[in-house]
Amino acid sequence: MSKQAEFAVILKMNAMFADLGADELQRLSNLCHTQHLSNGEVLFQKGDAGDALFGVRRGQVRIETGASDGSRLTLNFMGPGDLFGEVAVLDGQSRTADATAGEVSELFVLRREDFLAFLEREPKVGIKIISLLCQRIRWQSERMEESMLQPLPVRLARRLCALAADFGSEVHISQEQLGVFVGAARESVNRQLQAWRKEAILDLQRGRILLRNMTKLTAIARNE
Amino acid sequence: MSKQAEFAVILKMNAMFADLGADELQRLSNLCHTQHLSNGEVLFQKGDAGDALFGVRRGQVRIETGASDGSRLTLNFMGPGDLFGEVAVLDGQSRTADATAGEVSELFVLRREDFLAFLEREPKVGIKIISLLCQRIRWQSERMEESMLQPLPVRLARRLCALAADFGSEVHISQEQLGVFVGAARESVNRQLQAWRKEAILDLQRGRILLRNMTKLTAIARNE
DNA sequence: AAAGTTATGTGACTTATGGCACACTTCTCC
DNA sequence: GGAGAAGTGTGCCATAAGTCACATAACTTT
């Protein structure tokens, strides 16, 4: 399969371009470039101009934010098929986080100017993107209310359920990072996890969590 | 001034349509209808279909959410010149809050289908809207981090500064509602306000707050 | 295999905020 | 103008979570 055809497949997977016809998809793919990253290479940093949209072909990219004390905390992992950097590209503002390759990676790159020009010619895609951004706004406000109103156990359970959907019952994440995701101190996360271990809801190992009883966990997440 | 011309002025005020030419603005205004509301009349409720975008011509509309216990809590006030209901219109999902007229009001209404049809003919407006939605996403995530990381005094100071920008130094709001805005209990809000009163940063009256020392207040908001 | 580094487990203490209770004040409306 | 509602001021206590401190366990490096 040619690279361009592969780009088209990946783009198609993303809701942003899901209802594009084959020809439009073809034209969009032709605008893409390829970029290789070695392990640990920095793609962009917080504050950089948001001049391109990226998609992962192979490898893994970590989206992280450098805390003021110099420690770096991972916010998200992007794997093959994932698109990232859309917000900065769409509004032309600067990046809000850093992106670093977690392995040798190959990305495709869609430059902001090419993308915007494409948008002007394809109003339908614009409307689709608007919908997606609106969804995101709704989702954000829900999480906002949630994180202010729900106690830590509920937030933690929800995050674990979400991770389970992506990774299966063996979630590979440190308690420190789980704390970042959930907005809590590492110690608090640990204490809650211990409590659940005693209830046989999960098992703990260094760097991973084994979910044993998803029924109970989802019940906690629902906050009955 | 004709109603249509007045609509055009209001639309122009909103960033969404700021760089539209006079003719496009004219066409958009012609799509608008007018709707009158009596005091206390309900415009829409949470869960209703988001089938129109509204703009306030005269009067005031409260955006509120009905708490589970039946008490209603105001999230925002929309006054003359304000546009609201965009998100539900743009993505076609249901309303996330209730809207009730706080006085006898006159609105203009732009129906979803008309608006979307307009968007398809004006890709530039679509791109502008995308930018605005992106800005909102950024703003939301900032507030999100803020509300989880910043202590109440900082959040409260920020909210008061924001209100001051809209209302001047005499902010007309109950402590209860301030609590809702800031995500805190009424009592906590009161205690903080009392502390500031003793420092001569502000004065309190029933239903209003008089800001005396904006310098100190903004300093607190900055969280130095 | 020893040494160093990172991740986890846990106790003790502190603190911010929430919630209840109740007094007091100011508005509103018959 | 009297009754009731709505908004405000404050004391007291409960509690969730953060912080600090340190022990232990698991991987890495040389």
Side-chain angles (χ1 to χ4, degrees):
Chain A
M1 179 152 69
S2 81
K3 272 188 190 177
Q4 297 307 332
E6 199 183 323
F7 292 165
V9 171
I10 293 181
L11 290 173
K12 180 83 182 177
M13 280 167 53
N14 193 283
M16 208 144 117
F17 308 108
D19 47 58
L20 238 62
D23 48 333
E24 292 142 346
L25 216 50
Q26 182 61 50
R27 263 180 289 139
L28 189 58
S29 305
N30 288 337
L31 297 174
C32 293
H33 304 213
T34 304
Q35 181 165 359
H36 293 266
L37 295 174
S38 52
N39 189 351
E41 193 174 343
V42 174
L43 181 61
F44 57 73
Q45 291 188 300
K46 187 167 182 166
D48 286 359
D51 53 0
L53 166 74
F54 300 93
V56 182
R57 242 186 116 203
R58 287 185 307 127
Q60 189 188 59
V61 175
R62 292 195 310 268
I63 309 296
E64 15 176 62
T65 178
S68 44
D69 61 348
S71 68
R72 357 202 68 261
L73 296 172
T74 305
L75 297 175
N76 220 338
F77 309 90
M78 311 305 304
D82 290 331
L83 249 54
F84 65 95
E86 343 84 67
V87 173
V89 160
L90 290 171
D91 71 355
Q93 301 297 306
S94 58
R95 304 285 181 190
T96 52
D98 308 332
T100 314
E103 320 168 5
V104 174
S105 303
E106 192 176 332
L107 310 179
F108 64 84
V109 184
L110 185 49
R111 284 183 312 160
R112 178 173 153 79
E113 51 192 282
D114 293 338
F115 186 50
L116 290 189
F118 179 80
L119 273 190
E120 282 210 27
R121 275 178 286 116
E122 299 287 346
K124 290 224 171 194
V125 178
I127 291 177
K128 185 75 195 173
I129 289 178
I130 289 175
S131 299
L132 282 170
L133 293 175
C134 287
Q135 263 176 251
R136 184 134 156 200
I137 288 176
R138 284 167 189 277
W139 180 81
Q140 269 189 341
S141 11
E142 275 167 34
R143 288 207 67 220
M144 176 102 165
E145 281 181 35
E146 171 184 317
S147 66
M148 299 213 358
L149 300 173
Q150 302 298 335
L152 186 138
V154 175
R155 285 181 278 152
L156 199 53
R158 290 191 184 168
R159 175 56 69 168
L160 285 174
C161 289
L163 288 168
D166 283 356
F167 291 74
S169 68
E170 185 172 323
V171 177
H172 196 99
I173 189 174
S174 84
Q175 298 179 8
E176 173 91 45
Q177 299 206 350
L178 201 48
V180 178
F181 276 136
V182 144
R186 194 213 96 226
E187 293 93 324
S188 306
V189 169
N190 181 267
R191 279 185 257 266
Q192 184 58 54
L193 291 176
Q194 292 300 329
W196 284 339
R197 190 173 56 74
K198 276 158 200 155
E199 293 180 60
I201 292 175
L202 43 73
D203 264 321
L204 298 171
Q205 288 175 16
R206 183 193 171 88
R208 80 192 57 158
I209 298 169
L210 311 169
L211 306 175
R212 295 271 180 240
N213 189 336
M214 285 305 289
T215 318
K216 278 197 187 175
L217 200 63
T218 49
I220 296 166
R222 251 198 312 282
N223 197 18
E224 293 147 46
Chain B
M1 181 155 65
S2 80
K3 272 186 188 177
Q4 298 306 335
E6 198 183 326
F7 292 164
V9 171
I10 294 181
L11 291 172
K12 179 84 183 174
M13 279 167 53
N14 193 282
M16 205 143 117
F17 309 107
D19 47 58
L20 239 65
D23 49 335
E24 292 141 345
L25 216 51
Q26 181 62 52
R27 263 181 289 140
L28 188 59
S29 305
N30 288 337
L31 296 174
C32 294
H33 303 215
T34 305
Q35 182 166 356
H36 293 267
L37 295 174
S38 51
N39 189 350
E41 193 174 343
V42 174
L43 181 60
F44 57 73
Q45 291 188 299
K46 189 166 181 166
D48 286 359
D51 53 1
L53 166 73
F54 300 94
V56 181
R57 241 187 115 201
R58 286 185 309 128
Q60 188 188 60
V61 176
R62 292 194 310 269
I63 309 296
E64 15 178 60
T65 179
S68 45
D69 61 349
S71 68
R72 354 203 71 261
L73 297 173
T74 304
L75 298 175
N76 217 338
F77 309 90
M78 312 305 304
D82 290 331
L83 249 53
F84 64 96
E86 344 83 67
V87 172
V89 159
L90 290 170
D91 73 353
Q93 301 296 307
S94 58
R95 303 286 180 188
T96 51
D98 308 331
T100 313
E103 320 168 1
V104 175
S105 303
E106 191 176 333
L107 310 179
F108 64 84
V109 184
L110 186 49
R111 284 182 313 159
R112 177 172 154 79
E113 51 192 283
D114 292 338
F115 186 49
L116 291 188
F118 179 80
L119 274 190
E120 281 209 29
R121 273 178 287 117
E122 300 287 347
K124 291 226 171 196
V125 178
I127 291 176
K128 186 75 194 172
I129 290 177
I130 289 175
S131 299
L132 283 170
L133 293 175
C134 287
Q135 262 176 250
R136 184 134 154 200
I137 288 176
R138 285 167 188 276
W139 181 81
Q140 270 189 340
S141 14
E142 274 166 36
R143 287 207 70 220
M144 175 105 162
E145 281 181 37
E146 169 183 317
S147 66
M148 297 210 2
L149 300 173
Q150 303 296 337
L152 187 136
V154 176
R155 286 181 278 151
L156 200 53
R158 289 190 184 170
R159 173 58 67 169
L160 285 174
C161 289
L163 287 168
D166 283 357
F167 292 76
S169 69
E170 184 170 326
V171 176
H172 196 99
I173 190 175
S174 85
Q175 298 180 7
E176 172 89 47
Q177 301 208 348
L178 201 47
V180 178
F181 275 135
V182 143
R186 192 213 99 227
E187 293 93 324
S188 306
V189 169
N190 181 266
R191 278 185 258 265
Q192 185 57 56
L193 291 176
Q194 292 300 328
W196 284 337
R197 189 172 57 73
K198 276 157 201 154
E199 293 180 59
I201 293 175
L202 42 74
D203 264 320
L204 298 172
Q205 289 174 14
R206 181 193 174 88
R208 81 191 56 157
I209 298 170
L210 311 170
L211 306 176
R212 296 271 179 240
N213 189 335
M214 284 306 289
T215 318
K216 278 197 187 176
L217 199 61
T218 50
I220 296 166
R222 253 198 312 283
N223 197 17
E224 291 147 49

